[in-house]
Amino acid sequence: MYLNNNPIGVFDSGLGGLTVVKELIRLLPREHIVYYGDTARVPYGTKSREAIIRFSHENMRVLLKRNVKMVVVACNTSSSYALGILRKHFHLPIVGVIDPGARKAAEVTRNKKIGVIATPATVNSRSYARAIARRDRAIKISSQACPLFVPLVEEGWLRKPVTTAVAREYLGPLRRSGIDTLVLGCTHYPLLKSVLKDVMGAKVALVDSAHEVAAEVKRVLHERRLLRTSGGRARRAFLISDRPQQFEKTAREFLGYNIKAVKI
Ligand code: DGL
């Protein structure tokens, strides 16, 4: 089957996956993209393993109906619990966000002390701890679940004082633990980068996997000879399961241009 000109599918529980879309557009500007944000059921990070796996399957089916040539699971929570299962079940390339972020963090740290902030489900899965240990067993990892970050982002409260106060509370123990690298282990968190930078200080490197994930997508498309070959403008569709206006508003602020979100 000739798939090159089909879109790349990307899913997330909400709008956090846009951080990955932004990098995909930068690195692969010619590719068509179909994004699906499950805004009706966000957050995933406080749900059970079973629910996360079921939602991830359903999101895959939404994208497959749009004839995607590969899928990016742009959600750390889904990647933590469902990536292996999805790869067994669906026969197309699927890229997750944990390994690329873990690889980058292991490269960046100098003092071998890494902090990981993520949803409670991702922290409980220990997916980052395992992925980082696979690269370097000597690295010490301190994790912190930050369940209030996702609703703040979904609400578009990216720079409010309350967001800084919440970040101070969550990040206090990590600041005291002497880490030199902090993994933003949730695709929503890069939207809070300026607040997180202020709270952690300039000496701590913030690692988000978006750029690494986009590079991995490019590598996979190249290897499988799936890069788009046709001419014409790249099409981008944003499908979501609820509250399109809210999605459009935050997406505009983050991407810097207007998008049209379609509720399905
Ligand atoms: N953006 C997601 C993640 O990377 C999920 C946030 C959530 O739904 O709790 O984990």
Side-chain angles (χ1 to χ4, degrees):
M1 218 193 315
Y2 197 62
L3 290 171
N4 298 59
N5 300 317
N6 290 18
I8 300 170
V10 180
F11 80 76
D12 179 41
S13 56
L15 53 77
L18 289 176
T19 55
V20 175
V21 169
K22 195 173 183 177
E23 287 299 321
L24 282 175
I25 292 174
R26 207 152 59 175
L27 211 62
L28 295 163
R30 287 169 40 74
E31 294 293 329
H32 300 310
I33 295 175
V34 177
Y35 182 86
Y36 179 55
D38 190 10
T39 47
R41 298 190 289 201
V42 71
Y44 285 8
T46 50
K47 307 271 175 0
S48 68
R49 180 176 185 276
E50 293 68 34
I52 296 162
I53 292 172
R54 178 159 55 85
F55 296 166
S56 303
H57 267 263
E58 290 168 10
N59 299 345
M60 285 294 292
R61 290 204 189 89
V62 170
L63 292 174
L64 287 169
K65 271 197 210 141
R66 265 76 188 178
N67 298 318
V68 294
K69 60 183 172 187
M70 74 173 294
V71 170
V72 183
V73 180
C75 173
N76 289 263
T77 308
S78 285
S79 292
S80 295
Y81 289 91
L83 191 64
I85 298 170
L86 297 178
R87 280 184 175 147
K88 274 197 197 123
H89 203 268
F90 298 97
H91 301 287
L92 78 172
I94 304 177
V95 169
V97 285
I98 306 287
D99 261 337
R103 199 186 312 133
K104 177 77 192 234
E107 274 165 29
V108 166
T109 184
R110 290 285 154 259
N111 71 2
K112 295 194 189 282
K113 288 186 187 163
I114 296 180
V116 176
I117 52 172
T119 65
T122 297
V123 168
N124 289 337
S125 77
R126 303 199 66 256
S127 56
Y128 272 103
R130 276 184 278 122
I132 293 171
R134 273 202 295 279
R135 309 231 135 56
D136 186 345
R137 294 217 151 268
I139 294 176
K140 190 172 174 303
I141 298 155
S142 315
S143 306
Q144 174 67 51
C146 307
L148 292 175
F149 280 170
V150 169
L152 287 167
V153 170
E154 293 282 326
E155 198 56 39
W157 287 14
L158 308 183
R159 281 172 205 89
K160 299 238 178 197
V162 63
T163 309
T164 306
V166 170
R168 283 224 169 87
E169 190 74 33
Y170 280 143
L171 301 180
L174 290 177
R175 284 171 59 195
R176 291 188 287 277
S177 70
I179 57 163
D180 70 352
T181 306
L182 179 66
V183 179
L184 312 189
C186 172
T187 49
H188 280 67
Y189 298 176
L191 286 115
L192 299 174
K193 232 177 198 166
S194 66
V195 165
L196 298 174
K197 240 187 213 144
D198 283 351
V199 173
M200 290 309 291
K203 289 204 183 107
V204 176
L206 303 187
V207 169
D208 77 71
S209 44
H211 177 78
E212 267 52 48
V213 171
E216 173 97 355
V217 170
K218 187 172 179 181
R219 195 180 54 73
V220 170
L221 290 179
H222 177 74
E223 258 174 34
R224 308 224 179 187
R225 299 177 192 283
L226 280 173
L227 285 162
R228 183 177 166 217
T229 50
S230 69
R233 262 184 74 192
R235 287 190 300 275
R236 284 152 203 150
F238 296 89
L239 315 174
I240 55 166
S241 48
D242 204 9
R243 296 220 301 168
Q245 283 89 7
Q246 181 62 27
F247 183 90
E248 285 172 355
K249 187 170 159 277
T250 311
R252 188 182 317 121
E253 220 176 292
F254 177 63
L255 292 175
Y257 52 83
N258 288 334
I259 64 151
K260 174 98 197 87
V262 178
K263 181 172 174 304
I264 56 163

